[in-house]
Every structure is written in structure tokens, then in C-alpha cells.
Amino acid sequence: QSALTQPASVSGSPGQSITISCTGTSSDVGGYNYVSWYQQHPGKAPKLMIYEVNNRPSGVSNRFSGSKSGNTASLTISGLQAEDEADYYCSSYTSSSTPSWVFGGGTKLTVL
Amino acid sequence: QLQLQESGPGLVKPSETLSLTCTVSGGSISSSSHYWGWIRQPPGKGLEWIGHIYYSGTPYYNPSLKSRVTMSVDTSKNQFSLKLSSVTAADTAVYYCARSSSGGDYFDYWGQGTLVTVSS
């Protein structure tokens, strides 16, 4: 069960848009619409930002959006704000062995 | 508002068993179709799914940890628990409990996390 692949870091200026990719295989990201994204600020618990590829939980800004193409899922943040600076993790259901779930390695977003 | 709180020893000796409990408040652990899970994060590293369990069903464990993990639910106390046996320094991490969706595919409520250090 391998972790999903994310870039280690991305950056952007306030007001800009950035995209974080999450690459898996046909056994996880590509095979199911069960991709979720989490935001984690230092010393805090992760917070659900996107579920089932492109759904936002109540209370999450519409500046956050998700998509998927093939084996790669993406999180886009538009209108970057200073408070968006955090670590972001993707997660997916995987059927590679027994039913299980896997996280990406995480991406550090820096708002310049 | 649903709240989850982890509790348990912050220090465990190598080869011993790590035991954590998650207490759920603001909702019943058995009144909904949600799963309840554990995720850990070694210091400075990423998240790792440990497993999750339905209050009356079969647990699902990370294949890499399956031989050492046991999860259980105590509906009378509105708690669920994690046991990880034969721990080593590599098991040192912040351990989070969380509520999973009815399909088990995402975690929508998380505890604050508890640091467990494995050291003699």
C-alpha cells in the first residue's frame, strides 16, 4: 500500500490561484470517486476541505475546489489568503489489497 | 457539535502495547451509520491511516499494521479504542481519532490528537 504522490511544496501570492496534485493508480484515485483533501495548520488536527473528489463540507470556502482526471486528483485554491498557508493532504480509498485507505505525503503551501 | 477526545499514556516502552481511547460527545457512537477511525502522524511527517471500525461491524486495518492492531467499540461508554502491540520507536507519533463518513471514505470530525512516544 503506497502513499499517494503529492508535490512537497507549492507557493503563491495573495489573490493568486494554486493547484496541488495527488497522483495514484487505477486501484485508488483512478478507480474510485473517493478522494478527499485535508488542511492542517501547525500543531492542529487536519480539517476536511473536499470529499468525494469535488464536494465541499458546509462551512468550507468556495475558494477551495477539487477535481480528478485519470489517476490524478487536484485541489485548487483560488484567491489565496494568508490563512491558507498550511499543509494539505489528499486521501483515497484503495483496493490494492484488502479494502483500505491511503494518504498522500502532504504538500506545504506557502503564501508569499 | 460532535467532539472527539483521545486519552491514554503518552509514553510506552518498546515491545509493549500502546492503548488509546477516544471518547465521543455530542452524539451517539451507535446511533448513526458512521465509522470511527484512527490516524497517526510521526513528528514532522505525513498522515497514516491505521484503521476504522463500525460500532457493530468488521474493522478495517492498514495492511502494514494489521498484525499488530486491534480496534474495539464500547457503546455503553460512547468510546472506541486502539491497541497496537510490539511497539518500536517507529510508532512514535501523534495519534488522532476521527469520525468517518457512512461509506468510510473521508473523516469529517477529528480529535485534537495525542502524542505517544515509544522509549525506554
Side-chain angles (χ1 to χ4, degrees), chain B residues 33-60:
Chain B
S33 58
H34 296 280
Y35 286 80
W36 305 90
W38 293 93
I39 303 95
R40 70 180 183 178
Q41 185 172 34
K45 296 187 178 181
L47 301 170
E48 180 180 32
W49 174 75
I50 300 173
H52 56 240
I53 186 170
Y54 187 60
Y55 80 94
S56 63
T58 303
Y60 296 94

Side-chain angles (χ1 to χ4, degrees), chain A residues 8-67:
Chain A
S9 63
V10 298
S11 62
S13 299
Q16 287 186 332
S17 294
I18 63 94
T19 297
I20 299 172
S21 62
C22 172
T23 301
T25 70
S26 57
S27 295
D28 41 62
V29 174
Y32 307 92
N33 288 327
Y34 291 146
V35 177
S36 52
W37 290 89
Y38 301 87
Q39 176 192 65
Q40 186 181 36
H41 287 109
K44 300 295 186 181
K47 174 186 177 184
L48 178 68
M49 304 302 284
I50 296 287
Y51 66 96
E52 293 170 359
V53 177
N54 56 12
N55 294 283
R56 274 188 312 276
S58 174
V60 172
S61 171
N62 59 9
R63 298 185 299 106
F64 291 83
S65 62
S67 62

Side-chain angles (χ1 to χ4, degrees), chain B residues 1-5 23-28 78:
Chain B
Q1 176 76 350
L2 192 74
Q3 292 185 316
L4 293 86
Q5 178 69 56
T23 300
V24 179
S25 58
S28 172
N78 223 35

Side-chain angles (χ1 to χ4, degrees), chain B residues 3-25:
Chain B
Q3 292 185 316
L4 293 86
Q5 178 69 56
E6 305 89 351
S7 59
L11 181 64
V12 181
K13 290 182 169 55
S15 80
E16 295 189 344
T17 296
L18 177 160
S19 295
L20 294 174
T21 296
C22 182
T23 300
V24 179
S25 58

